[in-house]
Amino acid sequence: MRFGLILPSFSFPDLDYAKAARLRDFAQRAETQGFEALWVVEHLLTARGLYGTAWLSPLETLSFAAGCTTNIKLATGILIAALRNPVFTAKDIASLQYLSGGRFELGLGVGWDAHEYEVAGVPLRQRGDRTDEILQIFERLWTGEPVTHHGRYYQFEDVVIDPPLPGKPFLWLAGGSKIKTDLSPDPEIIADWAQIQQRLDEIGRPKGSVTFGHVNFMHIVPTDDEAAALRVQRPLIERIMGSHRSFETLRTCYLLGTPAQIRARLKAMQEAGLEYAALSPLDYDPEQLALWQDEIIRHFQST
């Protein structure tokens, strides 16, 4: 399994400028320790009822990460494109791809927060169709050729985006079923992947043409005592996720518990086809990365 690091770009109300130095430390350590990519989360606003924080702007954060690293890939996990003007976004992405030396990968999703769509002036019900249209616009604009577009939602005449991209960024698309029970959502994730595999068969597309990736939050406490691990993890996960959901629900959704329990959950998903895990720390301690390597990643390196 391959691993990416989600930068802890939380925008807590008490955020201070020292956190920028910590993000730099995370980015540089991740590159040194062999993580495949640096990822960033996007939430324009704090989604009351699900999160206790928002996140720093994704493309700006990746530009910062690009400037303090050399080779590691950079990815949005995810960019909610339908909140934005597609021409401006295509320009921003082309600029980031150029400045990073071609390291950017585009993780895209439709989002779900009605408040974010409300402040963007975009009806939530249009988010899927708008995203489809934006992908078509991106593909044409990144050629560097003049583009005139008269679509359902976007119209413009004779637009050229420079610099043209030598090739499209690798594309990740986010999605998943809503949790139907109070059990761990891992079976839902596995079931979603089975549906995707079935659909690939139906359309005659090779199964290997799509990568099964998963995003989650993790904090390693090097102990076999589950209660001791959870005592450390609980205030960290509740600061990010808020207290709107029970801690028992948070435990089932996120990678909490002992290292052995976390390994078991990842192993079950790997056996179902998971190839890539993008993981976010719960705080600003870069020493977590060494624990991740020792307690989690090394156990998957030869499998």
Side-chain angles (χ1 to χ4, degrees):
M1 192 188 304
R2 296 138 56 202
F3 289 87
L5 168 69
I6 300 175
L7 287 170
S9 56
F10 314 116
S11 54
F12 292 119
D14 61 351
L15 194 68
D16 58 56
Y17 293 143
K19 300 299 189 300
R22 295 184 187 182
L23 287 179
R24 181 183 299 108
D25 194 7
F26 266 98
Q28 292 173 340
R29 288 191 187 210
E31 183 167 59
T32 300
Q33 294 180 17
F35 285 87
E36 182 163 313
L38 296 171
W39 293 73
V40 290
V41 172
E42 168 162 49
H43 273 288
L44 173 69
L45 308 174
T46 298
R48 309 297 179 188
L50 188 59
Y51 293 122
T53 182
W55 277 259
L56 300 178
S57 296
L59 296 177
E60 288 83 350
T61 303
L62 284 183
S63 293
F64 172 85
C68 58
T69 57
T70 304
N71 299 308
I72 193 168
K73 295 176 182 177
L74 310 161
T76 48
I78 57 172
L79 188 75
I80 307 173
L83 296 175
R84 296 170 165 81
N85 179 296
V87 176
F88 282 71
T89 307
K91 177 73 173 187
D92 289 343
I93 291 172
S95 300
L96 175 57
Q97 190 72 306
Y98 172 77
L99 292 170
S100 68
R103 291 186 278 151
F104 177 69
E105 296 187 350
L106 175 60
L108 202 67
V110 299
W112 51 266
D113 189 342
H115 193 192
E116 290 183 340
Y117 274 93
E118 179 184 355
V119 300
V122 176
L124 182 69
R125 66 182 181 275
Q126 297 176 0
R127 66 193 189 279
D129 289 343
R130 281 179 178 268
T131 301
D132 288 342
E133 188 172 335
I134 287 169
L135 281 169
Q136 297 170 7
I137 291 169
F138 283 172
E139 187 164 352
R140 297 175 64 199
L141 285 176
W142 287 333
T143 65
E145 297 295 323
V147 175
T148 294
H149 179 83
H150 296 285
R152 182 177 180 183
Y153 300 108
Y154 307 102
Q155 298 83 33
F156 51 86
E157 299 276 347
D158 195 28
V159 171
V160 177
I161 289 294
D162 291 319
L165 296 183
K168 294 179 292 184
F170 186 87
L171 180 64
W172 297 88
L173 287 176
S177 300
K178 292 183 178 179
I179 300 173
K180 300 180 179 65
T181 72
D182 291 331
L183 301 175
S184 167
D186 299 350
E188 302 285 341
I189 296 165
I190 292 169
D192 287 344
W193 180 241
Q195 285 189 332
I196 292 170
Q197 295 286 283
Q198 179 180 345
R199 181 57 180 160
L200 291 172
D201 281 339
E202 291 171 356
I203 64 176
R205 183 171 172 179
K207 291 183 178 180
S209 64
V210 177
T211 300
F212 179 8
H214 176 57
V215 169
N216 211 314
F217 294 76
M218 182 172 76
H219 184 90
I220 295 298
V221 182
T223 179
D224 294 328
D225 184 335
E226 179 185 27
L230 294 175
R231 279 196 297 271
V232 174
Q233 294 161 344
R234 181 169 184 168
L236 298 175
I237 193 69
E238 288 184 339
R239 188 182 190 206
I240 295 169
M241 301 300 165
S243 57
H244 323 287
R245 294 173 282 172
S246 71
F247 182 60
E248 187 59 34
T249 297
L250 296 178
R251 281 189 60 192
T252 65
C253 291
Y254 305 108
L255 296 175
L256 306 178
T258 68
Q261 290 172 324
I262 293 171
R263 290 195 300 269
R265 289 182 63 177
L266 288 171
K267 182 65 175 177
M269 286 189 280
Q270 183 190 39
E271 290 173 350
L274 181 65
E275 301 172 66
Y276 193 111
L279 303 174
S280 173
L282 301 186
D283 65 7
Y284 299 99
D285 178 12
E287 298 305 322
Q288 271 290 304
L289 299 187
L291 288 171
W292 288 16
Q293 291 286 346
D294 186 53
E295 298 284 0
I296 305 297
I297 294 173
R298 69 180 180 87
H299 294 272
F300 293 89
Q301 286 181 331
S302 60
T303 60

